[in-house]
Amino acid sequence: MPVTDEAIDKIKAMIVSGELRPGSRLPREADLAERLGLSRNSLREAVKALSLMRVLDVRQGDGTYVTSLEPDLLLDALTFVADLQQDDTVVQFLEVRRILEPAAAAMAARAMPDEEITALGEVLDRLDSAPTLEGLIDNDLEFHRRLAAGSGNAVLCSLLEGMSGPTARARLWRGRMEEGAVERTRQQHRAIYEAVAARQPEVAQAWATVHVAEVEQWLRGTLGTVSP
């Protein structure tokens, strides 16, 4: 195992064991290197890598700390990776979203507080009767962000947020090319919202499946890919 990977694994083990907890300050570099049986150079490289992964926070003149380790922080790298994807790989992101988003909608129908459901409806009400495509996409992103947050599951919410970039581009592309796509999007959003508001998880799940699957199937047809 390369020495940097070994150093990463050893620091990770300290976090997993609970020896280093969120917000904890790491021991001095020299002390930690000696304790872990590592060179200071390999330890520095490990710290750099873990800081890029948002596991560690290096504060100049203060020391190195374990971050909050919250899902939205650690999964932030997914957004960067997702934004680099092209064409058929975006279809795969939509496949995953087709699995996760309906589950989030069903969970929101069960657990979303009433005031947040009201706010979800207000997002839809803010959209003009004849919105620009860009305005629709912005509204779409906020709607899905609030819906995912309503699931009450921070990991699920972060995963869906991380995949929003490439799938939003696909929705924008579809909106420009397919007649009627914009109006169907509005209708499906309203149907998902009404199911959540009525506390009907199965109906919310079904409408969310239809909503994501339409974009996926359109993109497959445009790219000439085959459904699994």
Side-chain angles (χ1 to χ4, degrees), residues 49-223:
L50 289 169
S51 65
L52 288 173
M53 289 187 279
R54 315 294 287 275
V55 173
L56 297 180
D57 178 20
V58 180
R59 304 175 189 174
Q60 294 297 327
D62 187 16
T64 299
Y65 292 79
V66 180
T67 67
S68 67
L69 303 180
E70 291 292 330
D72 60 340
L73 183 68
L74 297 182
L75 291 172
D76 188 55
L78 176 62
T79 303
F80 181 80
V81 173
D83 284 343
L84 298 176
Q85 304 310 304
Q86 302 290 326
D87 297 342
D88 57 335
T89 311
V90 175
V91 174
Q92 295 177 26
F93 273 87
L94 282 165
E95 285 178 1
V96 176
R97 194 170 159 225
R98 175 165 46 86
I99 295 168
L100 298 182
E101 184 117 16
M107 293 167 71
R110 296 187 185 98
M112 197 172 188
D114 290 342
E115 61 272 19
E116 292 182 17
I117 293 177
T118 299
L120 185 68
E122 289 171 352
V123 170
L124 300 181
D125 293 339
R126 286 202 302 267
L127 201 60
D128 295 336
S129 58
T132 64
L133 188 54
E134 289 74 12
L136 180 72
I137 294 300
D138 287 343
N139 190 270
D140 178 279
L141 289 171
E142 184 177 358
F143 176 81
H144 286 284
R145 188 180 302 115
R146 287 179 177 269
L147 184 67
S151 72
N153 186 307
V155 175
L156 180 57
C157 185
S158 296
L159 286 171
L160 287 169
E161 178 69 18
M163 291 187 290
S164 65
T167 58
R169 291 197 299 273
R171 297 196 294 277
L172 182 63
W173 186 17
R174 176 186 175 226
R176 285 175 174 160
M177 295 182 64
E178 185 180 30
E179 185 177 354
V182 170
E183 185 55 34
R184 284 202 305 278
T185 294
R186 297 188 69 164
Q187 292 172 354
Q188 290 162 6
H189 281 179
R190 180 63 63 178
I192 294 169
Y193 159 72
E194 289 177 354
V196 171
R199 303 296 184 184
Q200 296 176 313
E202 293 83 4
V203 178
Q205 184 171 10
W207 273 113
T209 301
V210 169
H211 182 52
V212 179
E214 271 202 9
V215 181
E216 179 191 342
Q217 291 305 312
W218 175 84
L219 187 59
R220 285 185 183 281
T222 301
L223 299 175

